[in-house]
Amino acid sequence: MFSTKKRTYKQHFNEKDSFYKYSSPKFKEQQALSENLNTDICIVGGGLTGISAALNLADQGYDVCIVEANKIGSGASGRNGGQLGIGMRKDQLYLENKFGFEKAEFFWNVGLDAVKNVTNLISKYNIDCALKPGILHAGNTKKDYKYFIEEIEHMKSKYSYDNYEYFDENSIKDEVNTDQYYSGLLTKDSFHLNPLKLTYGLAIECLNKNIKIFENSPIDKIEEKSDNVLLFSKKAVIKSKKVIVACNGYLDNLLGSVRNFFMPINNYIIATEPLGEKLARQIIKRDCGVVDSRFMIDYYRFSEDHRLLFGGPETLTSKFVNNPVEFVSKRLFRVFPNLKNYKIEFSWGGTLAISVNRLPVFGTLMNNKLYYAHAYSGHGLAMSVMGGKMIAEKILDKNNHFNKFTEINHIKIPGGDLLRRPNYSAAILYYRFRDYLNSIN
Ligand SMILES: Cc1cc2nc3c(=O)[nH]c(=O)nc-3n(C[C@H](O)[C@H](O)[C@H](O)COP(=O)(O)OP(=O)(O)OC[C@H]3O[C@@H](n4cnc5c(N)ncnc54)[C@H](O)[C@@H]3O)c2cc1C
């Protein structure tokens, strides 16, 4: 399989530092792949999916290497909003209607385990990544309270789950100091954290376990060769018994038509100057992460040094915006107009992969010698670590979680190579309009 000329990972070359790069201790640069190599497992992509798969397999004695086109954590794993949420991207009612209760319950349990898995790894490896509890879903419309109350009742009666806290119109203003919200639902088992610190922390454990990491080494072609798989980079070829492709929104054409089952989209974040702990607590009282209820969501949280990290808008074209300050800050100042007097010190963006039903896409190729997991649809911080673990467990024949995800009948983004992007952009415009209508009703 050959990749196309367009390489998404290159959009991050020569960029300014993100807040995450500024705040994380440096990860020692790893050498590029320069000589041919034989290995048990070769992992393409040095984000959380790849790193997690590597850790789980090396623990079982496999010879593992990670090959990264750019730098460890230079994809979405080191750029995201840091919201470590339970569940899947869609709620349980949606999943029950689509897949039936049994399967929906399976997804719910995986989503809960995914967060526990990350917090366990943070404790096990003592990773300092500013982990803090709580994500608050804030209702932008007067109707949202009904959804929140139904959600609480549904989760209690069907899943015996009730670790939520509800906020009405008065109490939500006490939690988040803005007039934008009418109600809220705090998920106490979710967390937020600095994702690049987490990614580096886990990558350091890979090095401790003698996993070889090659940076600046894009894989251009993957080919099945009898009982092995060959991976071609510019300077060398890797011969591997099994391959894991963990490139998510940066996959491009590496696996041919597999890319048609998701849409790569760009999303952007800005960071204010440090606001001080007092002002930070006046803005978000209990220091949780916040996500609003619109289709085109705003998400934000305070950093370990009390900057407001605010993200949300995505662009309609595939063109990556290098300086997104203007259009992200518009959204920030709508929610918190009083912050107009503070400096925006960092801005950055990244590419994520969205599937039609918002569930991750898992699969195998080359007679079960190649595995892939991607398209966590904006809910991948916990699920990418889980995705890597599930691939490892599939290879180790430990459980059938991976198979259950491969059974999902994903549909292609309509329109083929030519019309996928325009179709997607039209849908985004529609939903932006719907958000606008909701905001004036
Ligand atoms: C701006 C933004 C905000 C987000 N916010 C959240 C959030 O708050 N909560 C949440 O749950 N999720 C969020 N996400 C999604 C989450 O970050 C991703 O789902 C997750 O990080 C995916 O991890 P990954 O390892 O699969 O992919 P990535 O971290 O994207 O890693 C893929 C890697 O593959 C490499 N690669 C690509 N092609 C090749 C090749 N040919 N050869 C070698 N290497 C290659 C890339 O350089 C990249 O490093 C966000 C994403 C973005 C972009």
mmCIF file of all heavy atoms in Angstrom, residues 39 46 128 140 173 209 256-258 281 300 303 350 361 394 396-397 416 422:
data_model
loop_
_atom_site.group_PDB
_atom_site.id
_atom_site.type_symbol
_atom_site.label_atom_id
_atom_site.label_comp_id
_atom_site.label_asym_id
_atom_site.label_seq_id
_atom_site.Cartn_x
_atom_site.Cartn_y
_atom_site.Cartn_z
ATOM 1 N N THR A 39 11.776 -7.362 13.699
ATOM 2 C CA THR A 39 11.164 -7.242 15.029
ATOM 3 C C THR A 39 9.898 -8.099 15.110
ATOM 4 O O THR A 39 9.385 -8.571 14.086
ATOM 5 C CB THR A 39 10.862 -5.755 15.338
ATOM 6 O OG1 THR A 39 10.385 -5.642 16.669
ATOM 7 C CG2 THR A 39 9.817 -5.174 14.409
ATOM 8 N N GLY A 46 3.494 7.428 17.023
ATOM 9 C CA GLY A 46 3.930 7.585 18.420
ATOM 10 C C GLY A 46 3.002 8.468 19.224
ATOM 11 O O GLY A 46 3.427 9.389 19.917
ATOM 12 N N ASP A 128 3.646 12.926 36.505
ATOM 13 C CA ASP A 128 3.154 14.237 36.954
ATOM 14 C C ASP A 128 2.502 14.926 35.747
ATOM 15 O O ASP A 128 3.189 15.516 34.919
ATOM 16 C CB ASP A 128 4.357 15.041 37.483
ATOM 17 C CG ASP A 128 3.949 16.457 37.840
ATOM 18 O OD1 ASP A 128 2.731 16.744 37.874
ATOM 19 O OD2 ASP A 128 4.857 17.276 38.073
ATOM 20 N N ASN A 140 -26.247 25.042 27.105
ATOM 21 C CA ASN A 140 -26.398 26.365 26.485
ATOM 22 C C ASN A 140 -27.853 26.772 26.260
ATOM 23 O O ASN A 140 -28.141 27.942 26.076
ATOM 24 C CB ASN A 140 -25.731 26.403 25.101
ATOM 25 C CG ASN A 140 -24.247 26.251 25.184
ATOM 26 O OD1 ASN A 140 -23.747 25.146 25.343
ATOM 27 N ND2 ASN A 140 -23.543 27.354 25.112
ATOM 28 N N LYS A 173 -24.404 28.987 37.565
ATOM 29 C CA LYS A 173 -23.681 30.274 37.499
ATOM 30 C C LYS A 173 -22.671 30.382 38.639
ATOM 31 O O LYS A 173 -21.673 31.089 38.553
ATOM 32 C CB LYS A 173 -24.672 31.434 37.565
ATOM 33 C CG LYS A 173 -25.442 31.556 36.276
ATOM 34 C CD LYS A 173 -26.239 32.821 36.161
ATOM 35 C CE LYS A 173 -26.864 32.983 34.808
ATOM 36 N NZ LYS A 173 -27.486 31.772 34.228
ATOM 37 N N LYS A 209 11.500 0.039 29.137
ATOM 38 C CA LYS A 209 11.251 -1.382 28.827
ATOM 39 C C LYS A 209 11.976 -1.816 27.549
ATOM 40 O O LYS A 209 11.612 -2.812 26.924
ATOM 41 C CB LYS A 209 9.737 -1.615 28.645
ATOM 42 C CG LYS A 209 8.941 -1.498 29.943
ATOM 43 C CD LYS A 209 7.461 -1.728 29.678
ATOM 44 C CE LYS A 209 6.575 -1.248 30.805
ATOM 45 N NZ LYS A 209 6.727 -1.931 32.088
ATOM 46 N N GLY A 256 -4.772 2.692 2.390
ATOM 47 C CA GLY A 256 -5.727 2.711 1.277
ATOM 48 C C GLY A 256 -7.102 3.172 1.717
ATOM 49 O O GLY A 256 -7.249 4.188 2.398
ATOM 50 N N SER A 257 -8.129 2.385 1.367
ATOM 51 C CA SER A 257 -9.517 2.846 1.541
ATOM 52 C C SER A 257 -9.970 2.879 3.008
ATOM 53 O O SER A 257 -11.060 3.367 3.296
ATOM 54 C CB SER A 257 -10.459 1.954 0.733
ATOM 55 O OG SER A 257 -10.373 0.638 1.245
ATOM 56 N N VAL A 258 -9.149 2.379 3.929
ATOM 57 C CA VAL A 258 -9.496 2.467 5.365
ATOM 58 C C VAL A 258 -9.785 3.922 5.747
ATOM 59 O O VAL A 258 -10.612 4.216 6.606
ATOM 60 C CB VAL A 258 -8.331 1.886 6.215
ATOM 61 C CG1 VAL A 258 -8.488 2.236 7.683
ATOM 62 C CG2 VAL A 258 -8.250 0.372 6.047
ATOM 63 N N ARG A 281 -10.404 30.380 40.213
ATOM 64 C CA ARG A 281 -11.501 29.758 41.001
ATOM 65 C C ARG A 281 -12.778 30.588 40.926
ATOM 66 O O ARG A 281 -13.866 30.074 41.113
ATOM 67 C CB ARG A 281 -11.089 29.568 42.462
ATOM 68 C CG ARG A 281 -10.067 28.467 42.777
ATOM 69 C CD ARG A 281 -10.484 27.079 42.348
ATOM 70 N NE ARG A 281 -10.430 26.917 40.913
ATOM 71 C CZ ARG A 281 -9.312 26.789 40.204
ATOM 72 N NH1 ARG A 281 -8.153 26.784 40.784
ATOM 73 N NH2 ARG A 281 -9.367 26.649 38.882
ATOM 74 N N TYR A 300 -13.131 23.775 27.761
ATOM 75 C CA TYR A 300 -12.069 24.551 28.406
ATOM 76 C C TYR A 300 -11.802 24.046 29.810
ATOM 77 O O TYR A 300 -12.596 23.299 30.391
ATOM 78 C CB TYR A 300 -12.396 26.050 28.406
ATOM 79 C CG TYR A 300 -13.772 26.419 28.902
ATOM 80 C CD1 TYR A 300 -13.989 26.728 30.255
ATOM 81 C CD2 TYR A 300 -14.851 26.487 28.041
ATOM 82 C CE1 TYR A 300 -15.242 27.093 30.707
ATOM 83 C CE2 TYR A 300 -16.114 26.842 28.491
ATOM 84 C CZ TYR A 300 -16.302 27.146 29.827
ATOM 85 O OH TYR A 300 -17.545 27.491 30.268
ATOM 86 N N SER A 303 -5.184 25.318 33.385
ATOM 87 C CA SER A 303 -3.923 24.573 33.394
ATOM 88 C C SER A 303 -3.358 24.555 34.813
ATOM 89 O O SER A 303 -3.859 25.249 35.708
ATOM 90 C CB SER A 303 -2.919 25.253 32.466
ATOM 91 O OG SER A 303 -2.614 26.530 32.995
ATOM 92 N N GLY A 350 -4.676 20.734 16.105
ATOM 93 C CA GLY A 350 -4.309 19.353 15.805
ATOM 94 C C GLY A 350 -5.384 18.715 14.951
ATOM 95 O O GLY A 350 -6.454 19.297 14.741
ATOM 96 N N VAL A 361 -12.959 3.253 15.134
ATOM 97 C CA VAL A 361 -12.892 2.252 14.058
ATOM 98 C C VAL A 361 -11.674 1.358 14.313
ATOM 99 O O VAL A 361 -10.541 1.840 14.331
ATOM 100 C CB VAL A 361 -12.763 2.949 12.686
ATOM 101 C CG1 VAL A 361 -12.719 1.915 11.571
ATOM 102 C CG2 VAL A 361 -13.910 3.936 12.464
ATOM 103 N N LYS A 394 -5.700 -8.417 21.988
ATOM 104 C CA LYS A 394 -6.102 -9.257 20.835
ATOM 105 C C LYS A 394 -4.896 -10.095 20.382
ATOM 106 O O LYS A 394 -5.007 -11.305 20.176
ATOM 107 C CB LYS A 394 -6.594 -8.338 19.708
ATOM 108 C CG LYS A 394 -6.720 -8.986 18.350
ATOM 109 C CD LYS A 394 -7.966 -9.827 18.243
ATOM 110 C CE LYS A 394 -8.061 -10.492 16.874
ATOM 111 N NZ LYS A 394 -8.991 -11.604 16.862
ATOM 112 N N LEU A 396 -2.391 -10.919 22.141
ATOM 113 C CA LEU A 396 -2.060 -11.872 23.215
ATOM 114 C C LEU A 396 -3.171 -12.891 23.437
ATOM 115 O O LEU A 396 -3.078 -13.737 24.319
ATOM 116 C CB LEU A 396 -1.813 -11.109 24.525
ATOM 117 C CG LEU A 396 -0.648 -10.108 24.516
ATOM 118 C CD1 LEU A 396 -0.689 -9.211 25.747
ATOM 119 C CD2 LEU A 396 0.678 -10.854 24.454
ATOM 120 N N ASP A 397 -4.265 -12.750 22.673
ATOM 121 C CA ASP A 397 -5.406 -13.656 22.782
ATOM 122 C C ASP A 397 -6.012 -13.634 24.195
ATOM 123 O O ASP A 397 -6.374 -14.667 24.742
ATOM 124 C CB ASP A 397 -4.950 -15.088 22.428
ATOM 125 C CG ASP A 397 -6.067 -15.825 21.714
ATOM 126 O OD1 ASP A 397 -7.100 -15.188 21.443
ATOM 127 O OD2 ASP A 397 -5.914 -17.032 21.448
ATOM 128 N N GLY A 416 -16.886 9.806 -1.433
ATOM 129 C CA GLY A 416 -15.600 9.378 -2.008
ATOM 130 C C GLY A 416 -14.546 10.471 -1.830
ATOM 131 O O GLY A 416 -14.772 11.478 -1.158
ATOM 132 N N PRO A 422 -16.386 18.395 0.867
ATOM 133 C CA PRO A 422 -17.516 19.322 0.707
ATOM 134 C C PRO A 422 -18.781 18.841 1.419
ATOM 135 O O PRO A 422 -19.476 19.636 2.052
ATOM 136 C CB PRO A 422 -17.755 19.363 -0.809
ATOM 137 C CG PRO A 422 -16.544 18.802 -1.430
ATOM 138 C CD PRO A 422 -15.785 18.028 -0.423
#
